[in-house]
């Protein structure tokens, strides 16, 4: 069977895990610091804190944004539940925005119409590692004094006009879940952009509401309760896995990109014949080959393709059930018809297997199967 996803783990990751096991196991030890150094070297991103997940990085961004019950936040509905749940925990009301049918990212031209005085923030998702048009979003934010948060779970290593995803807003949130490009099993990070005060506040909230980080740096002689907070720091054993992955940053990126391009070129003929719609990569976005997807001509055809591929032992998938029309979205008062593009495209999208150790033989088999099915 060709699985949908499979993490690429080598002896480097094993060696680091063994090293971590024989030193400190708790968070903020040697491998966490090494991960920051590697992330800076490989992506140019600094002012970052590792977290236990991207979900928790998003929760931390919601805490730092000081959102209150009654505040409203704009989100795409075509995303993973965590994008929104992290904010609902603060009592925020979600305002869902439709997506662009070419990128599946939030439709920046629809944001302005949704604004009202209660809206305090916009959370965007760089879907499939392809960046949203941040100049437009940041321009709205500046004029209306809004906080912007990037759910960059899928976009580690992606760039917008040469700038790393995650650094294009107030807060960027990454995922190192095993299904993402660089993995630590479960894990993530938050980037706090251009705000020293918020960075210190984030350190405190991440460490159970204490200034233990400052204590570890020798800046205070004891640590104490400073604010609300939680436990958002991952074990150094997990950070050790991430360090191995980051040392292989270019290797993993190149392998993924090669597979992505093979698919992209391979299905061109299907697009030319009107059988599918390929991913669209805007000029402003350098992507990290996180995901290969295409849009089938109908929901029925999409399900048919998935089933036929399954018969050939190829695991393909679809996602997301749009949030606004999920049971929770309906409870919040949304209706299916509210976001027609999201509904339409979520019903037609199909994702193909993409993981670093896939062979050209695997991909050719998948492409041949698709040609036959379509
Ligand atoms: C994977 C993902 C998340 C959640 O990441 P975790 O690290 O598993 O919490 C959030 N948002 C998006 C868009 C994702 O793809």
């Amino acid at each position: 069977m060709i699985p949908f996803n499979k993490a690429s783990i080598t002896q480097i990751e094993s060696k680091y895990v063994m090293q971590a096991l024989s030193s400190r196991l708790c968070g903020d030890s040697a491998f966490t610091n090494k991960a920051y150094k590697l992330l800076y070297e490989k992506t140019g991103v600094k002012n970052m804190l590792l977290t236990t997940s991207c979900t928790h990085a998003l929760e931390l961004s919601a805490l730092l944004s000081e959102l209150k019950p009654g505040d409203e936040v704009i989100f795409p509905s075509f995303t993973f539940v965590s994008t929104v749940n992290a904010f609902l925990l603060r009592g925020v009301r979600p305002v869902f925005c439709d997506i662009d049918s070419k990128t599946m990212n939030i439709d920046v031209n629809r944001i302005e119409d949704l604004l009202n005085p209660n809206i305090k923030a916009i959370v965007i998702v760089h879907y499939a590692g392809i960046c949203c048009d941040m100049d437009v979003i940041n321009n709205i934010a500046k004029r209306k004094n809004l906080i912007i948060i990037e759910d960059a779970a899928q976009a580690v290593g992606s760039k917008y006009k040469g700038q790393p995803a995650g650094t294009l807003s107030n807060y960027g949130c990454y995922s190192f879940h095993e299904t993402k490009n660089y993995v630590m099993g479960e894990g993530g990070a938050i980037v706090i952009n251009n705000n020293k005060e918020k960075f210190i506040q984030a350190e405190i909230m991440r460490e159970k509401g204490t200034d233990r980080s400052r204590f570890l740096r020798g800046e205070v002689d004891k640590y104490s309760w400073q604010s609300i907070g939680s436990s958002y720091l991952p074990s150094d054993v997990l950070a050790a896995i991430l360090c191995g992955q980051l040392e292989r940053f270019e290797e993993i990126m190149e392998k993924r990109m090669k597979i992505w391009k093979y698919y992209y070129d391979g299905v061109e003929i299907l697009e030319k014949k009107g059988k599918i719609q390929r991913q669209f990569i805007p000029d402003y976005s350098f992507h990290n080959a996180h995901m290969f997807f295409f849009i089938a001509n109908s929901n029925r055809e999409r399900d048919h393709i998935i089933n036929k591929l399954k018969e050939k032992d190829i695991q393909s998938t679809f996602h997301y059930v749009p949030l606004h029309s999920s049971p929770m979205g309906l409870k919040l008062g949304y209706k299916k018809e509210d976001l027609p593009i999201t509904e339409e495209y979520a019903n037609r999208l199909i994702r193909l297997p993409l993981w670093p150790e896939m062979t050209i033989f695997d991909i050719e088999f998948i492409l041949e199967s698709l040609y036959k099915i379509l």
Side-chain angles (χ1 to χ4, degrees):
M1 192 195 57
I2 304 178
F4 179 68
N5 181 66
K6 194 164 183 273
S8 167
I9 299 294
T10 65
Q11 286 179 348
I12 304 172
E13 288 84 355
S14 308
K15 186 182 83 183
Y16 284 164
V17 167
M18 292 314 283
Q19 277 178 24
L21 287 173
S22 59
S23 51
R24 299 299 303 273
L25 310 186
C26 66
D28 285 345
S29 304
F31 280 106
T32 301
N33 290 323
K34 187 181 169 78
Y36 295 142
K37 205 170 140 266
L38 282 165
L39 276 159
Y40 180 63
E41 271 172 36
K42 304 295 184 179
T43 66
V45 180
K46 50 187 191 220
N47 302 319
M48 183 186 328
L49 295 167
L50 281 195
T51 56
T52 29
S53 63
C54 180
T55 304
H56 283 165
L58 288 160
E59 285 183 19
L60 199 43
S61 79
L63 282 166
L64 292 166
S65 301
E66 294 176 33
L67 298 167
K68 302 178 306 297
D71 287 343
E72 299 183 11
V73 175
I74 294 176
F75 302 93
S77 162
F78 185 72
T79 183
F80 188 60
V81 289
S82 296
T83 314
V84 178
N85 257 343
F87 293 82
L88 260 57
L89 285 174
R90 307 258 62 77
V92 158
R93 196 184 87 87
V95 174
F96 288 116
C97 183
D98 217 339
I99 50 169
D100 176 281
S101 65
K102 282 168 126 183
T103 59
M104 309 294 285
N105 280 333
I106 194 164
D107 185 346
V108 294
N109 298 316
R110 289 174 193 261
I111 294 175
E112 207 109 20
D113 285 345
L114 298 172
L115 295 177
N116 75 55
N118 293 328
I119 291 190
K120 299 289 156 57
I122 306 171
V123 182
I124 59 92
V125 178
H126 301 306
Y127 180 69
I130 296 161
C131 288
C132 298
D133 195 347
M134 293 308 292
D135 282 351
V136 179
I137 294 163
N138 282 325
N139 183 285
I140 297 171
K142 206 165 163 190
R143 279 187 285 115
K144 306 287 178 180
N145 200 21
L146 303 174
I147 298 165
I148 305 292
I149 294 141
E150 295 165 82
D151 180 340
Q154 305 177 4
V156 176
S158 296
K159 290 185 186 130
Y160 173 77
K161 299 185 179 174
Q163 293 296 109
T167 67
L168 308 161
S169 63
N170 297 88
Y171 308 108
C173 302
Y174 298 137
S175 176
F176 302 116
H177 184 264
E178 97 151 292
T179 53
K180 302 302 199 288
N181 284 28
Y182 304 98
V183 310
M184 55 192 278
E186 301 279 354
I190 182 168
V191 191
I192 294 108
N193 293 304
N194 307 317
N195 196 328
K196 190 109 211 330
E197 239 169 77
K198 287 288 177 188
F199 186 86
I200 290 170
Q201 205 182 338
E203 279 188 331
I204 290 170
M205 287 173 162
R206 170 176 170 273
E207 253 288 12
K208 298 99 178 165
T210 75
D211 55 352
R212 185 162 176 272
S213 301
R214 267 185 279 182
F215 169 73
L216 290 177
R217 284 197 296 270
E219 293 168 17
V220 289
D221 58 11
K222 63 175 179 353
Y223 69 90
S224 55
W225 186 20
Q226 302 286 328
S227 80
I228 59 164
S230 189
S231 183
Y232 289 139
L233 69 168
S235 159
D236 230 45
V237 181
L238 296 181
I241 306 175
L242 184 62
C243 287
Q245 294 273 294
L246 293 172
E247 284 195 351
R248 299 170 55 225
F249 187 86
E250 293 84 0
E251 178 210 321
I252 290 173
M253 177 87 89
E254 278 159 24
K255 283 178 169 169
R256 296 188 78 99
M257 194 55 86
K258 197 171 155 200
I259 298 160
W260 189 91
K261 284 215 168 90
Y262 212 98
Y263 275 138
Y264 189 73
D265 295 341
V267 301
E268 187 182 11
I269 177 118
L270 295 174
E271 187 174 56
K272 283 201 170 132
K273 289 187 171 177
K275 304 274 185 190
I276 64 152
Q277 176 190 318
R278 281 193 298 178
Q279 264 169 288
F280 172 73
I281 316 292
D283 285 340
Y284 53 71
S285 183
F286 168 80
H287 75 106
N288 60 356
H290 173 63
M291 190 193 299
F292 186 84
F293 74 85
F294 64 81
I295 306 294
N297 282 343
S298 68
N299 177 243
R300 250 187 74 207
E301 198 153 299
R302 191 271 305 274
D303 292 348
H304 175 71
I305 297 167
I306 292 177
N307 288 331
K308 284 286 169 191
L309 288 174
K310 199 161 142 201
E311 283 173 18
K312 293 190 183 287
D313 275 346
I314 300 162
Q315 234 181 23
S316 63
T317 65
F318 67 88
H319 75 176
Y320 299 100
V321 176
L323 297 181
H324 78 280
S325 56
S326 298
M328 181 66 179
L330 299 177
K331 255 189 251 170
L332 290 164
Y334 277 89
K335 295 185 300 297
K336 243 185 179 148
E337 311 81 79
D338 291 338
L339 304 174
I341 314 270
T342 300
E343 278 298 324
E344 167 82 16
Y345 281 78
N347 275 322
R348 288 165 51 194
L349 183 139
I350 167 166
R351 304 171 63 190
L352 297 180
L354 203 173
W355 35 277
E357 311 319 326
M358 277 182 87
T359 63
I360 294 297
F361 180 81
D362 291 332
I363 307 160
E364 286 199 328
F365 177 63
I366 295 168
L367 286 171
E368 283 304 322
S369 306
L370 276 176
Y371 298 153
K372 275 185 205 143
I373 298 165
L374 287 165

